[in-house]
């Protein structure tokens, strides 16, 4: 069932819906965007608390909306469903069984789903995001209440800016979510990780000796904001995906100064360009890994135009050691993309990306084991699956294990494994932010086979039977439980 008022036209509609549902609290006392907001939000997230709207930040000219995706319930509400599995079920029901397996199957399957829905973005001539226009000397990023989240951060960061670029040769659009460090009132550091599509766009522009136009939208509707974080194949348009999720076309408008389009109902839009070859030190930054990422040179975005709605809201997110708000976003991706992962690896029953593993350090996967070394085959397939290639640890369990029950998974991984035979060690690419690898961008990986062992795998002792109570006794005790007077 769709959430009340869904699809939300813009961020303000979603904030209003959260408030009506008792899922948002307004903070009407002055709060400092330097560290203080971060501490308040972190405590709220870890208490399972509501979304927050800081009405009176002591820096900037607009309220701060944050922790909007901090629980699975709010993330489901943002995407218009009661349960996040509903979207994956929709995708699974639309995928034809005759599609090829493998990565091409994922691309073709998702492409067919998008075609069936026929909800491409729609261009409009005027838009709320351009009600107020700042150019020239009036452009000032200090109008925004950007956050310094941790004491060791290199300054103010804008953590939920949706970055728009186009491939200089093909014109293919990309929408990505990257942190933005404020260097000055008119410049931002672009933290484009090595595996991201916008990095490729920039590399082509530099090779051609051209500026790369960029537009950053802040405070979009929640479906567009989620879609910017989704690990889509490079040839699937994020706005087509957002239209599928919303069940309604996303309205887009031409930017004022760059040849790009942005969501018409964004709260704030920053327009500018990157000069070829220009870099500035970016960082340090307290990231979702729980550690500061080091200072590195990154491209510089020069802002020439800023447009806003009247009375805009500023949307941001806190990054830190889990648990934090990005758990809701990561869980949505896990559930939505399950049927596509099954298309790539049909033997998978379910999988879980633990928040404590910041969604790329660990994958727990269940399979119906059918032949020797089946689990090791699954490990290799996952390490070849798009951004799951960055996973450092894969734990494979049998299909009767609930991958979301970490106690049960640990029981299998601790008790079912002979680490001389069931541990697969290899090397490969790791996330840009990974601090543990001895070399940046690549490092060691492990796969743990926690499945029952087969005689054909060399296990000749006869796998023991796991203890379970008889159903008759379970039913009897259920009926008599109150008689015992235990609780």
């Amino acid at each position: 069932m769709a959430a009340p008022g869904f699809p939300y036209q813009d961020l303000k509609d979603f904030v209003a819906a959260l408030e009506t549902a008792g899922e948002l609290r307004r903070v009407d006392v002055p709060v400092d965007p330097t560290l203080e907001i971060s501490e308040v939000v972190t405590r709220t997230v870890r208490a399972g608390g509501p979304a927050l709207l800081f009405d009176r930040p002591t820096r900037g000219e607009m309220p701060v909306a944050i922790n909007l995706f901090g629980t699975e319930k709010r993330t489901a509400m943002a995407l218009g469903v009661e349960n996040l599995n509903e979207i994956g079920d929709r995708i699974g029901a639309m995928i034809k069984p005759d599609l090829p397996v493998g990565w091409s199957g994922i691309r073709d399957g998702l492409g067919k789903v998008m075609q069936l829905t026929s909800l491409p973005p729609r261009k409009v001539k005027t838009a709320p995001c351009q009600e107020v226009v700042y150019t020239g000397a009036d452009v000032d990023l200090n109008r925004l209440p950007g956050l310094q989240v941790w004491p060791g951060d290199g300054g103010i960061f804008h953590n939920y800016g949706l970055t728009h670029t186009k491939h200089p040769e093909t014109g293919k659009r990309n929408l990505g979510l990257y942190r933005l460090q404020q260097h000055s009132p008119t410049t931002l550091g672009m933290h484009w990780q090595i595996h991201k599509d916008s990095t490729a766009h920039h590399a082509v522009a530099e090779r051609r000796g051209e500026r790369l136009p960029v537009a950053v939208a802040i405070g979009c509707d929640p479906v567009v904001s989620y879609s910017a974080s989704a690990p889509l194949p490079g040839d699937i348009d994020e706005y087509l995906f957002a239209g599928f999720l919303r069940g309604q076309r996303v309205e887009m408008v031409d930017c004022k100064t760059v040849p790009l389009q942005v969501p018409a109902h964004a709260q704030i839009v920053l327009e500018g360009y990157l000069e070829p070859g220009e870099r500035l030190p970016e960082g340090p930054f307290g990231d979702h890994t729980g550690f500061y990422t080091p200072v590195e040179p990154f491209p510089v975005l020069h802002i020439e135009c800023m447009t806003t709605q009247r009375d805009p809201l500023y949307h941001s997110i806190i990054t830190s050691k889990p648990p934090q708000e990005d758990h809701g976003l990561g869980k949505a991706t896990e559930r939505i993309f399950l049927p596509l992962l099954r298309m790539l690896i049909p033997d998978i029953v379910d999988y879980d990306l633990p928040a404590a593993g910041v969604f790329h350090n660990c994958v727990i996967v269940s399979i119906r084991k059918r032949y020797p070394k089946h689990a090791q085959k699954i490990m290799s397939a996952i390490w070849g699956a798009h951004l799951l290639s960055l996973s450092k640890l894969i734990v494979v369990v049998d299909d009767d294990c609930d991958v979301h029950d970490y106690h049960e998974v640990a029981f299998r991984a601790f008790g079912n494994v002979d680490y001389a035979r069931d541990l697969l060690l290899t090397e490969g690419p790791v996330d840009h932010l990974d601090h543990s690898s001895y070399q940046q961008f690549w490092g060691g990986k492990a796969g743990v086979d926690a499945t029952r062992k087969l005689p054909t795998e060399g296990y000749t002792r006869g796998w023991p039977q796991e203890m379970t109570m008889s159903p008759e006794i379970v039913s009897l005790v259920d009926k008599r439980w109150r008689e015992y007077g235990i609780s």
Side-chain angles (χ1 to χ4, degrees):
M1 187 177 78
F6 186 85
Y8 311 105
Q9 191 74 355
D10 68 9
L11 176 63
K12 292 174 182 174
D13 291 340
F14 182 48
V15 167
L18 289 174
E19 191 165 25
T20 299
E23 287 287 331
L24 178 135
R25 297 291 184 274
R26 291 178 179 267
V27 180
D28 59 6
V29 297
V31 185
D32 194 341
T34 299
L35 305 182
E36 188 179 4
I37 284 181
S38 174
E39 179 65 11
V40 173
V41 172
T42 298
R43 294 188 189 192
T44 303
V45 171
R46 293 178 180 173
L52 299 172
L53 186 65
F54 293 91
D55 283 320
R56 299 168 62 192
T58 59
R59 176 162 46 73
E61 300 176 354
M62 55 199 72
V64 178
I66 202 163
N67 197 26
L68 304 184
F69 299 97
T71 64
E72 289 185 40
K73 177 181 178 181
R74 284 201 295 279
T75 303
M77 187 175 174
L79 300 180
V81 294
E82 292 289 337
N83 186 293
L84 292 172
N85 286 305
E86 293 177 33
I87 300 171
D89 292 344
R90 282 172 58 199
I91 293 175
M94 299 172 95
I95 293 175
K96 299 293 180 70
D98 58 345
L99 287 170
V101 298
W103 180 241
S104 63
I106 286 186
R107 186 180 62 248
D108 293 348
L110 190 54
K112 287 193 175 184
V113 168
M114 298 301 102
Q115 291 171 17
L116 285 170
T117 57
S118 300
L119 294 172
R122 180 169 70 91
K123 182 179 175 181
V124 297
K125 293 183 178 180
T126 60
C129 71
Q130 295 174 343
E131 289 173 336
V132 181
V133 179
Y134 301 100
T135 58
D138 292 328
V139 174
D140 185 359
L141 294 172
N142 292 317
R143 297 180 188 275
L144 311 180
L147 305 182
Q148 181 178 347
V149 176
W150 296 103
D153 284 354
I156 293 170
F157 285 82
H158 305 280
N159 296 332
Y160 220 114
L162 278 55
T163 300
H164 299 72
T165 59
K166 277 186 181 179
H167 191 287
E169 294 174 344
T170 68
K172 170 65 181 174
R173 171 172 53 207
N174 183 66
L175 172 65
L177 179 59
Y178 317 108
R179 77 186 192 221
L180 305 164
Q181 182 174 359
Q182 185 169 319
H183 289 318
S184 77
T186 58
T187 58
L188 294 169
M190 308 295 293
H191 189 268
W192 282 350
Q193 298 173 31
I194 190 173
H195 304 105
K196 304 300 184 180
D197 290 332
S198 287
T199 304
H201 291 186
H202 184 226
V204 172
E206 287 198 313
R207 188 185 72 227
R208 293 161 58 101
E210 299 172 354
R211 288 179 169 179
L212 182 70
V214 177
V216 177
I218 299 174
C220 296
D221 79 72
V223 172
V224 168
S225 292
Y226 165 72
S227 297
S229 74
L232 295 169
D235 53 357
I236 300 295
D237 185 86
E238 287 84 1
Y239 284 105
L240 197 63
F241 185 60
F244 164 74
L245 294 177
R246 297 171 91 240
Q248 186 182 92
R249 299 169 72 180
V250 179
E251 292 186 345
M252 308 285 288
V253 68
D254 288 337
C255 288
K256 295 288 188 181
T257 62
V258 293
L260 297 167
Q261 291 183 345
V262 290
H265 294 271
Q267 301 293 307
I268 303 144
V269 176
L270 310 175
E271 302 177 12
Y273 62 89
L274 306 179
E275 286 283 5
E278 184 181 17
R279 304 288 191 279
L280 281 179
E282 194 270 356
F285 180 73
D287 221 308
H288 66 281
T289 61
F291 295 87
Y292 290 103
T293 53
V295 175
E296 296 182 84
F298 277 95
V300 181
L301 175 61
H302 296 264
I303 309 298
E304 293 190 317
C305 179
M306 176 192 298
T307 71
T308 74
Q309 291 194 23
R310 293 188 183 90
D311 302 318
L313 299 182
Y314 177 84
H315 180 206
S316 192
I317 193 170
I318 299 299
T319 54
S320 79
K321 176 181 176 180
Q324 196 49 268
E325 181 183 348
D326 57 0
H327 168 75
L329 295 166
K331 187 57 66 173
T333 292
E334 175 195 290
R335 296 296 89 198
I336 290 170
F337 286 84
L338 174 58
L340 296 170
L341 183 61
R342 284 177 176 157
M343 180 180 292
L344 178 64
I345 314 171
D347 298 334
I348 286 179
V349 174
D350 200 358
Y351 78 124
D352 186 277
L353 306 174
V358 295
F359 302 106
H360 53 71
N361 284 341
C362 181
V363 179
I364 303 166
V365 59
S366 59
I367 65 170
R368 294 185 182 92
K369 186 172 179 178
R370 296 186 290 111
Y371 48 79
K373 299 299 179 182
H374 195 169
Q376 285 78 0
K377 174 204 171 187
I378 298 301
M379 297 170 194
S380 297
I382 290 173
W383 280 321
H386 196 34
L387 290 181
L388 283 177
S389 65
L390 304 179
S391 304
K392 295 203 299 181
L393 174 65
I394 300 171
V395 180
V396 184
V397 294
D398 290 298
D399 63 312
D400 62 348
C401 178
D402 181 358
V403 294
H404 311 295
D405 182 344
Y406 298 151
H407 182 275
E408 180 65 16
V409 171
F411 176 75
R412 308 287 181 108
F414 297 162
N416 285 6
V417 179
D418 177 344
Y419 288 98
R421 293 175 177 265
D422 300 329
L423 180 65
L424 176 64
L425 297 177
T426 186
E427 291 180 332
V430 297
D431 188 79
H432 190 128
L433 304 177
D434 188 271
H435 60 278
S436 66
S437 57
Y438 285 67
Q439 301 289 330
Q440 192 175 30
F441 308 133
W442 66 274
K445 297 162 176 283
V448 178
D449 179 1
T451 62
R452 299 177 185 89
K453 304 307 176 289
L454 304 174
T456 47
E457 293 176 307
Y459 187 89
T460 59
R461 298 174 59 196
W463 195 260
Q465 182 179 356
E466 187 174 344
M467 300 174 298
T468 58
M469 184 53 69
S470 65
E472 295 81 10
I473 293 298
V474 172
S475 178
L476 173 65
V477 172
D478 284 344
K479 292 176 181 177
R480 297 194 58 194
W481 185 254
R482 294 193 180 203
E483 295 180 33
Y484 305 139
I486 296 172
S487 61

